[in-house]
Amino acid sequence: LQNAQWMGERKQARLSVGNPYNHPPYPTFYEFIEGILTVEGGNEHWLPATMYCGPCGMWHTAYIIKMEDYDCEFNHLMESTGNGHIMNSTDKKFYNRGPPVDETIFYQLYSTLTTRQLDNLLKRYEYDCKLYQYDCQRTVAKIKLFKSMNPNYK
């Protein structure tokens, strides 16, 4: 199915049976990214954070916590604001997000995307990359290099 048609059917399914992503057929990573890039309005889960959360526009913004370092950064935030006593050992375990994703899997998934999709993702999340100090240009270049060295993932 064309992605817009697939997304439309998923939206209809969600209205009738709950979350369509809990039921097959599941989208491929390629289809999922295409949906993010083509569906107007989007979903707040996949919108660039800078579209709905403007910490730069707020007065006295001192902390921006990255999810991949959540445990460390959140605990530091709580301690540095004098709220470390609020968190007990159970709370600290709750914020553990688990091990990082294997880099090979990351490159394999993103290598299924077209150059157009990679470039559009880079453009769409450009300000998020700047805000959170990610080197997205470098990451996309590494994905493209991985694709060129592993033609079976194109």
Side-chain angles (χ1 to χ4, degrees):
L1 293 176
Q2 289 293 339
N3 196 51
Q5 179 185 357
W6 182 87
M7 293 296 281
E9 289 178 6
R10 282 299 194 189
K11 185 174 183 178
Q12 187 61 39
R14 181 173 61 246
L15 296 174
S16 62
V17 295
N19 187 343
Y21 299 103
N22 290 334
H23 309 285
Y26 303 107
T28 64
F29 187 70
Y30 174 92
E31 291 170 329
F32 175 72
I33 295 300
E34 190 63 19
I36 289 173
L37 293 172
T38 60
V39 174
E40 286 295 319
N43 175 311
E44 67 273 5
H45 295 97
W46 315 119
L47 285 174
T50 50
M51 289 182 73
Y52 63 86
C53 177
C56 295
M58 295 180 196
W59 293 96
H60 309 298
T61 299
Y63 294 95
I64 296 177
I65 297 175
K66 294 181 181 179
M67 293 306 292
E68 64 271 19
D69 298 323
Y70 191 86
D71 282 347
C72 178
E73 292 189 17
F74 185 76
N75 290 336
H76 174 73
L77 170 64
M78 295 301 283
E79 294 293 334
S80 64
T81 58
N83 293 304
H85 65 282
I86 295 173
M87 297 194 51
N88 61 37
S89 61
T90 305
D91 293 329
K92 291 179 181 177
K93 288 178 187 172
F94 174 77
Y95 294 108
N96 181 1
R97 300 290 185 209
V101 174
D102 178 353
E103 213 172 82
T104 304
I105 294 170
F106 171 85
Y107 287 110
Q108 288 173 348
L109 284 171
Y110 277 88
S111 291
T112 65
L113 304 180
T114 65
T115 298
R116 178 193 58 81
Q117 287 175 311
L118 290 169
D119 292 341
N120 286 344
L121 281 172
L122 189 59
K123 183 178 177 182
R124 180 177 175 96
Y125 294 102
E126 174 184 6
Y127 296 113
D128 283 12
C129 294
K130 290 177 182 178
L131 176 65
Y132 297 109
Q133 299 175 339
Y134 295 127
D135 190 349
C136 296
Q137 298 259 352
R138 182 172 172 257
T139 301
V140 168
K142 287 172 68 176
I143 292 166
K144 289 177 180 179
L145 178 63
F146 182 91
K147 283 180 70 154
S148 70
M149 296 174 66
N150 299 279
N152 54 326
Y153 289 110
K154 286 186 180 181

